[in-house]
Amino acid sequence: MHGCHCTGQRACAGTYSSVFVGTSLTRCDWKSQLKAGPGWGKWKQSLPNWDIITPIMCFRISINQLELELHHILPSLDCHIAVYSAMFYIIGLGLCDERDITVRGLEAVKSSSRVYLEAYTSILMVQKERLEAFYGKELILADRDMVETESDEILRDADREDISLLVVGDPFGATTHTDIILRARALKIPTRVVHNASIMNAVGACGLQLYNFGQTVSLVFFTETWKPDSFYDRIKDNSDLGLHTLVLLDIKVKEQSEENLARGRKIYEPPRYMSIPQAVSQLLEIEDMRKTGTLAADTTLAVAVSRVGGGEGNERIVAGTLAELAAQPAETFGEPLHSLVIVGKRLHHLEVAYAETFAVNRESWRGVAQSAYGCALDEQ
Ligand SMILES: C[S@@+](CC[C@H](N)C(=O)[O-])C[C@H]1O[C@@H](n2cnc3c(N)ncnc32)[C@H](O)[C@@H]1O
């Protein structure tokens, strides 16, 4: 083929931050010079049939304009042009282990020159080393400070090379990650989100219909002096509409004690994960203060879920009244991470039947569903 021919990598419209030219001409004078250029190995790898692939310029123009320009510069060359836009990826890892990444996510990881692992909003059930071995990449741990206040370091050079940020679950399953996407956009760095399973949808494993959930809330560890209770208003809103509430339980990873924080000492406490009995106790403590009747120990049903997506031996689902859940020993709920679903009054009899398999006490589960929730159930 003679003349320039454009091959848009990843997309053919819009603007691009990096442009690479390849040619099938073995006699091209540029070859040795270009091969020594930055990025050669990477581009050769991603476009294996090309003899030469090299960045020729970094600018932002449309692909049509680019084609015209290069045709003008290289009219006689048998030449292909690849337009490659470097990308900042935020990749969901799913809920369990290294094998939950999607094929698309793994490809992005492999193409990235730096890969960060965000491990403070959620955790996987395996260590970082297992991920590194499977992905074939070294991972840089990104703590809260790095993601929230030092995102420039994560985004460094992301307009010239692929950079990935790995997030447990789905990137939009935590509020933090929209912020870094906005910052990347402000720097005109193209971004792409690779989705995966999240607790926000996998919680359906407990048998309650996702369509019947209202606002999700987060429950933080109370201290003697700090008992934030705004979550209660949202549980009440959901409850007034008859909807279920997914309650995400606090995790503290790489946190400093108040004293160390005040003294500026970078000494971190061991990780802590809120347990189900503690969550129930905090919910009832606030009900006791507010007294709206939204939650009641003996007549509010709830489902505790742990390590959802972790498969047999890992995942635990336990259903009961708040009082029944609070009375269970911690082992009943398995290892963290834990979440709790407060059952809403629009409970459907099929939801009752499905979740009954997880009930601490099936009779009491059905009894409360009938008496407090008005569910019409078949006699058993
Ligand atoms: C801030 S959220 C982040 C969610 C994550 N980005 C996602 O999409 O799944 C973290 C909380 O979700 C809940 N969670 C996450 N994974 C879980 C799992 N596999 N089983 C039960 N709860 C889980 C826990 O309450 C945990 O503290």
Side-chain angles (χ1 to χ4, degrees):
M1 189 188 309
H2 288 279
C4 295
H5 177 72
C6 274
T7 310
Q9 288 286 299
R10 299 184 173 170
C12 265
T15 58
Y16 299 87
S17 51
S18 304
V19 175
F20 299 86
V21 166
T23 171
S24 55
L25 280 189
T26 43
R27 60 186 163 75
C28 178
D29 296 340
W30 301 353
K31 196 169 181 178
S32 51
Q33 189 190 335
L34 297 185
K35 267 192 172 177
W40 156 256
K42 181 172 158 187
W43 303 113
K44 180 72 184 158
Q45 202 183 6
S46 68
L47 297 170
N49 299 328
W50 291 31
D51 288 335
I52 292 178
I53 301 152
T54 188
I56 54 164
M57 34 192 132
C58 266
F59 56 177
R60 295 180 172 87
I61 61 172
S62 76
I63 192 161
N64 293 342
Q65 195 184 344
L66 171 72
E67 200 165 9
L68 280 174
E69 299 266 340
L70 286 172
H71 193 69
H72 184 68
I73 302 167
L74 310 167
S76 58
L77 289 186
D78 179 6
C79 171
H80 293 259
I81 306 158
V83 181
Y84 185 94
S85 181
M87 195 66 77
F88 174 58
Y89 289 100
I90 303 205
I91 302 169
L93 295 185
L95 294 171
C96 182
D97 61 26
E98 72 277 19
R99 290 166 303 153
D100 284 292
I101 193 167
T102 60
V103 174
R104 192 182 299 280
L106 190 56
E107 282 171 0
V109 167
K110 287 192 185 292
S111 81
S112 293
S113 40
R114 293 196 313 280
V115 183
Y116 294 89
L117 172 65
E118 186 275 272
Y120 66 89
T121 58
S122 205
I123 50 160
L124 275 184
M125 299 171 203
V126 291
Q127 298 298 314
K128 168 174 163 270
E129 291 68 28
R130 277 262 297 266
L131 306 182
E132 291 179 324
F134 189 79
Y135 303 157
K137 281 273 173 181
E138 193 183 320
L139 304 183
I140 306 164
L141 271 187
D143 59 19
R144 187 184 293 276
D145 273 356
M146 189 176 226
V147 177
E148 293 180 0
T149 59
E150 297 163 26
S151 60
D152 290 354
E153 172 52 23
I154 296 179
L155 294 173
R156 176 172 51 82
D157 295 334
D159 56 345
R160 282 184 280 136
E161 47 196 68
D162 290 348
I163 307 291
S164 290
L165 174 64
L166 309 183
V167 174
V168 175
D170 185 84
F172 293 127
T175 46
T176 315
H177 306 115
T178 45
D179 192 54
I180 197 164
I181 294 173
L182 289 176
R183 283 185 224 191
R185 285 188 189 158
L187 295 169
K188 301 222 173 349
I189 295 167
T191 57
R192 180 164 297 175
V193 173
V194 182
H195 293 286
N196 211 316
S198 166
I199 186 59
M200 306 283 279
N201 64 285
V203 69
C206 75
L208 300 172
Q209 289 291 328
L210 293 179
Y211 289 89
N212 297 338
F213 278 69
Q215 307 167 79
T216 297
V217 302
S218 296
L219 187 60
V220 299
F221 281 110
F222 287 175
T223 67
E224 282 305 309
T225 51
W226 192 61
K227 299 188 180 188
D229 63 358
S230 57
F231 66 84
Y232 183 89
D233 298 313
R234 281 180 281 152
I235 297 180
K236 181 173 181 327
D237 289 346
N238 291 343
S239 165
D240 291 346
L241 294 168
L243 299 173
H244 311 313
T245 305
L246 171 61
V247 185
L248 303 176
L249 308 192
D250 202 5
I251 66 179
K252 293 259 183 255
V253 182
K254 214 177 165 201
E255 294 283 325
Q256 288 163 280
S257 67
E258 280 174 24
E259 191 192 343
N260 286 329
L261 193 64
R263 290 172 187 254
R265 290 192 296 227
K266 297 229 167 216
I267 300 173
Y268 301 101
E269 301 297 299
R272 283 194 298 150
Y273 307 97
M274 189 185 289
S275 69
I276 295 293
Q278 180 166 10
V280 173
S281 140
Q282 290 195 183
L283 291 172
L284 292 176
E285 186 177 340
I286 300 301
E287 174 61 49
D288 218 33
M289 277 166 45
R290 302 279 202 101
K291 296 194 182 351
T292 68
T294 301
L295 301 169
D298 294 318
T299 54
T300 297
L301 295 176
V303 188
V305 297
S306 309
R307 297 207 156 195
V308 177
E312 218 176 310
N314 260 318
E315 180 177 288
R316 297 274 175 96
I317 305 179
V318 185
T321 61
L322 289 177
E324 283 169 341
L325 296 183
Q328 302 306 308
E331 312 84 76
T332 307
F333 303 105
E335 297 293 318
L337 302 173
H338 304 286
S339 299
L340 184 69
V341 183
I342 311 281
V343 178
K345 285 281 159 54
R346 259 167 43 187
L347 182 62
H348 190 270
H349 65 91
L350 289 177
E351 295 179 302
V352 179
Y354 197 108
E356 185 184 327
T357 44
F358 309 119
V360 172
N361 177 329
R362 288 182 178 218
E363 259 176 53
S364 126
W365 173 261
R366 289 172 64 84
V368 175
Q370 280 176 309
S371 60
Y373 285 71
C375 259
L377 303 177
D378 292 337
E379 288 303 314
Q380 285 207 316

